[in-house]
Amino acid sequence: MSRRVFAFRSIAVLALVWVGAVGGFALLSIRTATQQAGEELNAAGSALHRIVSQRVAQHDAHLTSLAALVQSADPPPREAVRQVALAIMRFYPRIVSVRIVAPDVGGAGGSGEIIVAAPSEALATPLPAFTAGVFAQAPGEARAYADPAVPGRYFLGKRAGAPGRPLAMIVEIDPALLVEGEERPEATRLRLELGGQSLVDRAAAVPQESAALETLRFMRAIDSQTQPLKLSLDRSLALAQVVPMGSVLLFAVLSLIGLLALRYTLKQRRDAARSRAAAREAQERSLLLERETRLAHASRVNALGELASGIAHELTQPLTALLSQSQAALRLAAPGGDAQRLDEALRANVREAKRAGEMLQRMRDYISNRPSARLPCDINAVVGDAAALSGADLAQRGIRLELDLERLLPQAVVDPIELEQVLHNLIRNAVDSLDRTAQAEKKIVIRTGTSAGQVVIRVSDTGPGLAPAVLPRLFEPFFTTKADGMGLGLSLCATLVERAGGSIRADAGATTGAAFVIVLPAAMPRMEAAQ
Ligand code: ADP
């Protein structure tokens, strides 16, 4: 994943966490505020319920005392009853009227003779339709009535009077006055109902500015056997009331700062861990490189031991030539000698000495223990050096080494000694396989060329070739099919070639013997190299 995608993802995660946290805080605030408002409403509702229940109970008490007065004499003391009724009304303005009715003997019983009406205007108003129902009540029983014809009022009817001469006592009550202005909890809708009929429905004193988020309700029946009023309070909660914007904003800012600080710390930690890992990796890489270089060196020293007899043999040639040319020169240097032939002999000596010196220099280079150094190299020259070093050994074994080098080969950036070592290893393996055959023609061919702008070196032999079973494991360290093999040659070749940015593989297309192909990136385009 690229760094930018990673940064974008971490910012997205951070934003999500932040939005979640602020949302969570707002929800928690809403819950707390709603719960608190609910508790407040409940407390206010209960207090109001208590007050209204007490007031409603007073109506029963008034009726009881009026009934006692009515029944104290026969006929009832009208004026005294009227005065008491008026006094009650004066003290309790919610009691709108008091009527005491005798049944209409000849009539339907619904309307009757009004014995007492307070105030006197009540005489003008028709008797409520339920009056007949009051006569039907048990003696002494009181019951509340709501009359749809008289909205906003309810009536408390009581059956009184002497046996055989019943009286209906009807008290008209204004329920709106059961709750005094300041007693009503603020911002609530107050309702009083009786038997499903709404008596009072007062909207909230404080108008709602925004849409309600939630409506809380308190509902309880008034504690009265005679007047089963239902009290309910509704409180609408707007979003602004339950979400404390100030603290949400403060939380949002603080949580954002906290999250950014956390992200910064985590990033610092991650970066530190990353650079520690990179440093560790670099150290391990350099250790590995050092080990590989040591291994390569040890392997070269070892190989040179194997080549020693061939090289010694190779050196005897220039040394023998040197000896014979020197003896000839001595003779020619005697007085009367041929000066021109002396010159030729000495020149030949110089040539042979140089040849021997070059041979020894190559050996020294090959086994030198110096750090790997890559530079643009003439690959054909490296191939030539490798061939020169093992040429004598091959000749001793009756193996022909054939070089087929492309003339205009581009340079490649390699460590020449390491590439030479790779070629030596391949030659050694070819020698091993050729040694095991009784074939008449034992030949190793090293060919150079280019392919797709890259330098290609192919080392093939006329040995028995590679068995398909060994192909996948050839470059594994310690893989060998030889009794005395170490199995490190090809894996070292792969390490060294890959160090130079190249690759090595067995040529699966080889028809006879084994063939290995090394591909190296060219140091410059072919055309330039050709110029
Ligand atoms: P070693 O030579 O010690 O066995 P290498 O890694 O050089 O280790 O080679 C691994 C194996 O690859 C050899 O044991 C051999 O089986 C096979 N091999 C390598 N080169 C050739 C070749 N030219 N011809 C046949 N087999 C080969």
Side-chain angles (χ1 to χ4, degrees), residues 295 302 476-480 482-489:
L295 177 69
N302 192 35
E476 271 179 30
F478 306 110
F479 171 75
T480 182
K482 301 170 194 167
D484 56 347
M486 290 267 286
L488 289 174

Side-chain angles (χ1 to χ4, degrees), residues 481-530:
T481 57
K482 301 170 194 167
D484 56 347
M486 290 267 286
L488 289 174
L490 286 180
S491 92
L492 189 62
C493 286
T495 305
L496 298 179
V497 171
E498 279 158 17
R499 260 193 205 184
S503 64
I504 180 169
R505 62 184 155 83
D507 186 354
T511 44
T512 53
F516 288 87
V517 178
I518 301 164
V519 180
L520 296 166
M524 58 184 83
R526 198 172 191 282
M527 288 311 290
E528 286 173 42

Side-chain angles (χ1 to χ4, degrees), residues 170-181:
I170 300 168
V171 174
E172 183 182 358
I173 300 157
D174 181 355
L177 299 178
L178 278 170
V179 180
E180 282 162 22

Side-chain angles (χ1 to χ4, degrees), residues 271-334:
D271 286 354
R274 215 178 266 155
S275 56
R276 267 201 307 278
R280 208 166 36 237
E281 203 177 299
Q283 197 186 10
E284 278 165 11
R285 234 192 342 259
S286 88
L287 259 175
L288 184 69
L289 204 72
E290 196 187 305
R291 254 182 237 140
E292 284 171 355
T293 307
R294 276 216 302 273
L295 177 69
H297 177 246
S299 157
R300 283 201 301 273
V301 172
N302 192 35
L304 205 70
E306 289 172 16
L307 293 174
S309 81
I311 291 165
H313 176 78
E314 185 83 349
L315 279 175
T316 53
Q317 278 182 17
L319 288 176
T320 314
L322 261 174
L323 183 64
S324 64
Q325 295 289 352
S326 300
Q327 284 167 344
L330 274 176
R331 275 196 308 275
L332 292 167

Side-chain angles (χ1 to χ4, degrees), residues 304 307 311 314 358-359 361-363 365-366 377-392 394 401 403 405 415-421 423-424 427 446:
L304 205 70
L307 293 174
I311 291 165
E314 185 83 349
E358 279 168 12
M359 191 65 146
Q361 184 57 43
R362 256 198 303 276
M363 271 177 65
D365 284 350
Y366 190 62
C377 285
D378 175 359
I379 298 303
N380 285 343
V382 178
V383 171
D385 283 350
L389 212 56
S390 41
L394 295 177
L401 176 62
L403 301 186
L405 309 179
D415 178 320
I417 298 296
E418 286 181 359
L419 181 57
E420 205 178 312
Q421 183 172 7
L423 294 170
H424 269 295
I427 292 170
I446 305 182

Side-chain angles (χ1 to χ4, degrees), residues 205-326:
V206 183
Q208 208 74 61
E209 277 160 19
S210 52
L213 183 75
E214 196 178 346
T215 300
L216 304 173
R217 170 163 295 183
F218 170 89
M219 189 186 280
R220 203 177 286 174
I222 295 300
D223 292 336
S224 165
Q225 298 227 320
T226 56
Q227 299 150 77
L229 297 173
K230 212 178 328 152
L231 169 72
S232 61
L233 293 173
D234 288 350
R235 170 141 194 222
S236 298
L237 292 177
L239 187 66
Q241 286 173 304
V242 287
V243 183
M245 273 310 173
S247 48
V248 170
L249 213 67
L250 188 70
F251 178 83
V253 171
L254 289 181
S255 60
L256 187 63
I257 292 171
L259 280 173
L260 285 174
L262 184 72
R263 180 172 178 263
Y264 178 75
T265 316
L266 288 179
K267 191 172 168 299
Q268 292 287 97
R269 272 203 196 169
R270 203 172 43 230
D271 286 354
R274 215 178 266 155
S275 56
R276 267 201 307 278
R280 208 166 36 237
E281 203 177 299
Q283 197 186 10
E284 278 165 11
R285 234 192 342 259
S286 88
L287 259 175
L288 184 69
L289 204 72
E290 196 187 305
R291 254 182 237 140
E292 284 171 355
T293 307
R294 276 216 302 273
L295 177 69
H297 177 246
S299 157
R300 283 201 301 273
V301 172
N302 192 35
L304 205 70
E306 289 172 16
L307 293 174
S309 81
I311 291 165
H313 176 78
E314 185 83 349
L315 279 175
T316 53
Q317 278 182 17
L319 288 176
T320 314
L322 261 174
L323 183 64
S324 64
Q325 295 289 352
S326 300

